[in-house]
Amino acid sequence: QVRLSESGGGSVRSGGSLTLSCVASEELFSSYRLGFLRTSRDKEREGLAGIDIDGTAKYANSVKGRFTISRDNAKKILYLQMNSLSPDETGVYYCAADSRPIWDVPLGSGWTPNFRGQGTQVTVSS
């Protein structure tokens, strides 16, 4: 059964940090490129970060240096550490799985993955 389930969203002040987690089913964790995308007031399905099965990570320019994606292969959990958050990053954050090679995942623009979780709300206040 295919499953992606996010957690860790919440409210934080501008400049603060949050870590999102995503539990993925075995099939997705072992065979798909995983990542996170965001839908905010200004952008739909903005790809933020992706990670390949071998751990190769890729980031959108807007989050590079502030966000870190990682995976725990034993627990089948994906993480997104987010630092220096700003109010315009308020939105719903989704865990995503994509069958394309990591370099074809459209980070920084609209990303329609093969599978997506239910989303978790992140609110950044000024």
Side-chain angles (χ1 to χ4, degrees):
Q1 183 178 356
V2 171
R3 181 171 66 104
L4 291 168
S5 180
E6 308 92 338
S7 61
S11 296
V12 65
R13 298 291 294 271
S14 181
S17 299
L18 278 176
T19 298
L20 305 182
S21 301
C22 172
V23 177
S25 57
E26 170 68 31
E27 176 187 354
L28 295 180
F29 207 87
S30 61
S31 303
Y32 283 71
R33 265 50 66 189
L34 302 176
F36 288 88
L37 60 89
R38 171 177 67 207
T39 293
S40 63
R41 181 185 62 187
D42 299 325
K43 292 186 179 181
E44 285 280 336
R45 298 177 285 106
E46 180 187 10
L48 303 175
I51 189 165
D52 210 338
I53 299 167
D54 66 358
T56 300
K58 180 182 171 185
Y59 299 92
N61 288 335
S62 61
V63 305
K64 201 172 292 184
R66 298 187 298 119
F67 289 14
T68 301
I69 191 169
S70 61
R71 55 190 290 155
D72 185 323
N73 292 330
K75 296 181 179 178
K76 305 294 185 287
I77 298 177
L78 183 72
Y79 300 99
L80 185 69
Q81 171 69 42
M82 305 185 294
N83 298 324
S84 302
L85 286 162
S86 61
D88 62 356
E89 296 185 290
T90 292
V92 181
Y93 285 66
Y94 298 89
C95 185
D98 204 301
S99 60
R100 290 174 284 187
I102 189 66
W103 54 84
D104 285 339
V105 174
L107 300 180
S109 58
W111 180 15
T112 302
N114 297 95
F115 302 97
R116 194 179 75 174
Q118 82 286 355
T120 186
Q121 176 71 40
V122 172
T123 301
V124 185
S125 59
S126 56

